[in-house]
Amino acid sequence: GCVLVVSVIEQLAQWHNSTVKAAMEKLCDYIPEKHNSLCLCTISFSIDREMNADVVCHSLRLCKQDPGQPLCHLYSPPKLHHLCELMHPSIFIFLPLQKSFMGFSSVCAFPLLANLCEKMKYILRNKLPFEDFDGDKFSTFPTLRGYHWRGRDCDDKNTTVYPGRRPDNWDAESDSNCNGIWGVDPKDGIPYEEKFCKGADSKGVVLLGDSAGAHFHIPPEWMTVPQMSAKSFANLPMAFSDELDWPQFSEITGFLNSTIGGWTDSLYLRLRKRNRCNHRDLQNISQNGGSSGNLLSLIKSLARNQLLDNPAIVIYATIGNDVCNGERDTLAHMTTPKEMLSNVVQALRYLDSHLPNGSHVILTGLVDGRFLWDNLHDRYHPLGQLNKDVTYSQLYSFLDCLQVSPCSGWLTPNETLRNLTSERALQLSNVLKEIARSEKFVNFDIFYMDFPLRQTAEQWRKMGGEPWQLIEPVDGFHPSQIAAALGTGITWQKALHQWPQVLGKENPFNDQIEAIFRDQGGH
């Protein structure tokens, strides 16, 4: 964190030909006013041209070298005489708010905040909406696991009103399922929901996934100095309250036009277009670091009533974290095929006890992450674009040295290790494939599909794109917005041709629904 911030400050000073103090003040000016209290600090230090962020952060004692561990650095090591900075700091920093970084548990020691903190910890642990007054797991608030993640509630004071339920009395008097279709046609006295949605095979979409499914994204303009402005940071509060995830633009549950590049195309949007009665019936139950193991607890935040709700299409997609970790002996910490089988079958049994009859489950195979190193290792990271001094290879090595790499097995110059990681990923995908072939459940049928990385890359090349553009530029690990949108089309076409029963029928009344309820069903 220190290396990142100091790098940006140094580059701002360079770009604007200013002092470091002026650059820090400029950075603070960019941050939205409500959230820039942490910038109330006085900084006094000078950095010569060869004193990089690694040296600064070690001098501040914010970075350290543990006994027996290598010295971790992002930039090329400085000249010998600058190493004295590591032992005799000439840099002074005064943070009057330093004690405010005590941590979450210390803040929660205050009696007035104790109850709120307990609720916050519960919500963060269970991935449920922070603002949910009726406790139905749906919210009218966008972030903090609100309607960016699940269909927007239309009555947060009534636990029987929420997206995805079967209409109450055909919604003749009110909108019980929040799809915007309710009331009675005055011409014939038939409720609109009955007229347009009865027998329409309505179904929702649920994603059980990881950070790729949640659509993790750090805006590159936050650390690319030539692009940096107050406008660059306008989305910072929303991004942090959504855990740096952007599910509202994601491949499975996206519903808003993308503001982070590319375009939004999602399974939800296509299901909604196919049948307007599906409006708002979405749930993105994903978390950063999601794997087949921890998904067993995450799945309990699913909101589906077997008796009252419509069936659902559930996408099970933990595409990397069962082989990805930051451990030195990364192979020893990967999920084994036996563990994968146990984890997934347990999750499917839970779904069978909660999903309405007529649902569908699609198991998605793991990605072949060799694509990352092959297409990024010698390219410049956003932090290195100004001075051509930080490649993705350097970033990966830095994170691996700190033992915080998102995937030590793939983000490495060790080709043998990359191949072994892909070999394990293929073994786990084969487990999923065999489950889909052999396991039977009462309330849903089950299918398997490979993660469509190869098809996505081929399609993007035909459109004139480069493979590296399919990867998030800041973390160099997750699928980009372009990859998400292209992947949707590939998944849809596969389902359309191989499993048409999953997608349901096309509703012949879509145009009439839009004409009557255009202004009532907004997201």
Side-chain angles (χ1 to χ4, degrees):
C2 176
V3 170
L4 167 63
V5 173
V6 172
S7 296
V8 170
I9 293 171
E10 286 181 329
Q11 291 184 26
L12 272 171
Q14 175 187 344
W15 184 254
H16 295 284
N17 195 25
S18 69
T19 64
V20 169
K21 187 174 187 299
M24 179 64 183
E25 291 169 350
K26 182 176 286 291
L27 180 61
C28 290
D29 287 341
Y30 289 158
I31 297 173
E33 191 172 348
K34 277 176 62 179
H35 302 269
N36 70 1
S37 58
L38 296 180
C39 284
L40 297 176
C41 56
T42 303
I43 298 177
S44 175
F45 61 87
S46 60
I47 303 173
D48 67 39
R49 293 183 183 182
E50 295 165 7
M51 190 174 177
N52 62 39
D54 295 315
V55 174
V56 172
C57 292
H58 278 277
S59 300
L60 294 173
R61 299 291 187 260
L62 292 174
C63 292
K64 60 186 175 65
Q65 181 180 9
D66 290 333
Q69 298 295 325
L71 178 68
C72 301
H73 57 89
L74 178 61
Y75 297 89
S76 298
K79 289 183 178 178
L80 185 62
H81 73 273
H82 285 291
L83 295 178
C84 67
E85 300 291 347
L86 305 183
M87 297 302 298
H88 304 287
S90 60
I91 300 172
F92 303 94
I93 182 165
F94 173 63
L95 286 169
L97 296 180
Q98 190 170 3
K99 290 185 178 180
S100 69
F101 295 95
M102 292 183 297
F104 190 70
S105 58
S106 300
V107 172
C108 291
F110 293 102
L112 292 176
L113 295 177
N115 288 337
L116 177 62
C117 283
E118 284 305 309
K119 185 174 182 181
M120 278 291 292
K121 284 190 280 189
Y122 172 82
I123 289 164
L124 290 171
R125 185 170 61 248
N126 294 282
K127 304 299 182 185
L128 293 169
F130 177 66
E131 291 197 8
D132 178 17
F133 297 107
D134 57 12
D136 60 7
K137 300 183 180 178
F138 294 91
S139 177
T140 59
F141 189 74
T143 60
L144 295 170
R145 291 280 162 169
Y147 69 76
H148 281 172
W149 299 82
R150 301 164 185 254
R152 185 173 182 170
D153 204 342
C154 53
D155 186 349
D156 208 20
K157 297 179 181 178
N158 188 339
T159 189
T160 66
V161 175
Y162 53 86
R165 67 158 293 169
R166 295 191 180 103
D168 180 22
N169 194 28
W170 291 113
D171 284 356
E173 296 183 1
S174 63
D175 189 7
S176 67
N177 57 15
C178 302
N179 68 0
I181 304 170
W182 65 282
V184 175
D185 189 338
K187 296 177 183 177
D188 52 24
I190 300 175
Y192 286 115
E193 180 91 37
E194 181 179 5
K195 177 178 286 190
F196 296 142
C197 300
K198 185 177 181 180
D201 199 16
S202 300
K203 58 188 69 177
V205 60
V206 177
L207 172 65
L208 300 173
D210 50 22
S211 51
H215 204 24
F216 186 87
H217 167 80
I218 299 175
E221 56 269 25
W222 287 2
M223 56 188 68
T224 310
V225 166
Q227 302 174 18
M228 199 174 289
S229 67
K231 186 178 179 181
S232 307
F233 290 92
N235 55 14
L236 185 145
M238 180 185 72
F240 276 103
S241 56
D242 267 336
E243 305 159 47
L244 291 176
D245 295 322
W246 307 73
Q248 68 273 30
F249 307 141
S250 65
E251 178 176 351
I252 303 300
T253 64
F255 62 90
L256 293 178
N257 291 330
S258 172
T259 59
I260 56 174
W263 64 96
T264 302
D265 189 4
S266 71
L267 181 59
Y268 163 73
L269 283 177
R270 291 188 177 225
L271 283 169
R272 183 188 182 278
K273 184 178 180 181
R274 191 172 181 83
N275 180 4
R276 173 60 177 73
C277 302
N278 292 329
H279 182 60
R280 289 191 187 176
D281 195 357
L282 63 100
Q283 296 180 55
N284 191 316
I285 304 176
S286 302
Q287 68 176 7
N288 299 336
S291 66
S292 67
N294 57 38
L295 214 61
L296 293 174
S297 59
L298 182 66
I299 199 174
K300 294 175 183 175
S301 65
L302 172 71
R304 216 66 179 178
N305 186 303
Q306 280 190 314
L307 300 178
L308 297 178
D309 298 349
N310 286 320
I313 303 169
V314 178
I315 311 296
Y316 185 104
T318 56
I319 66 170
N321 288 319
D322 283 283
V323 297
C324 284
N325 58 72
E327 303 291 340
R328 287 284 161 82
D329 52 344
T330 181
L331 292 170
H333 288 81
M334 294 178 184
T335 302
T336 66
K338 184 178 180 180
E339 290 168 337
M340 189 74 169
L341 175 62
S342 174
N343 292 339
V344 176
V345 169
Q346 285 184 67
L348 293 173
R349 287 172 180 165
Y350 182 89
L351 290 175
D352 202 29
S353 66
H354 287 76
L355 290 177
N357 191 263
S359 295
H360 313 277
V361 174
I362 299 174
L363 304 178
T364 304
L366 279 70
V367 70
D368 185 350
R370 289 176 292 192
F371 184 88
L372 302 170
W373 179 269
D374 291 346
N375 289 288
L376 282 184
H377 74 275
D378 57 353
R379 296 189 62 83
Y380 289 111
H381 185 268
L383 269 182
Q385 288 177 6
L386 181 64
N387 295 311
K388 309 300 182 192
D389 56 356
V390 178
T391 63
Y392 283 95
S393 177
Q394 288 170 259
L395 173 70
Y396 295 156
S397 295
F398 181 52
L399 296 177
D400 191 54
C401 180
L402 294 171
Q403 298 181 48
V404 295
S405 172
C407 196
S408 295
W410 276 325
L411 308 183
T412 173
N414 186 331
E415 183 179 6
T416 300
L417 183 54
R418 297 199 304 270
N419 291 338
L420 288 171
T421 303
S422 288
E423 184 179 314
R424 176 60 60 86
L426 180 60
Q427 291 171 358
L428 300 185
S429 294
N430 286 335
V431 170
L432 296 174
K433 192 180 298 185
E434 178 59 22
I435 290 173
R437 188 193 67 81
S438 61
E439 297 287 338
K440 304 297 178 187
F441 297 90
V442 174
N443 290 308
F444 57 82
D445 48 15
I446 186 168
F447 307 92
Y448 169 84
M449 70 172 291
D450 291 321
F451 187 84
L453 179 60
R454 181 180 55 80
Q455 300 96 310
T456 301
E458 288 175 359
Q459 187 170 335
W460 183 232
R461 283 192 189 96
K462 290 176 182 176
M463 296 170 66
E466 297 286 342
W468 59 267
Q469 294 169 316
L470 300 175
I471 308 168
E472 276 293 317
V474 172
D475 61 63
F477 180 61
H478 293 93
S480 69
Q481 183 67 34
I482 294 170
L486 291 175
T488 296
I490 293 167
T491 300
W492 181 265
Q493 289 302 316
K494 181 178 179 66
L496 203 59
H497 290 102
Q498 296 187 19
W499 325 309
Q501 72 275 26
V502 171
L503 305 179
K505 297 178 292 188
E506 191 156 359
N507 193 326
F509 301 110
N510 282 335
D511 291 342
Q512 293 180 57
I513 297 172
E514 286 297 323
I516 297 172
F517 297 100
R518 182 177 295 112
D519 299 324
Q520 297 191 35
H523 286 290

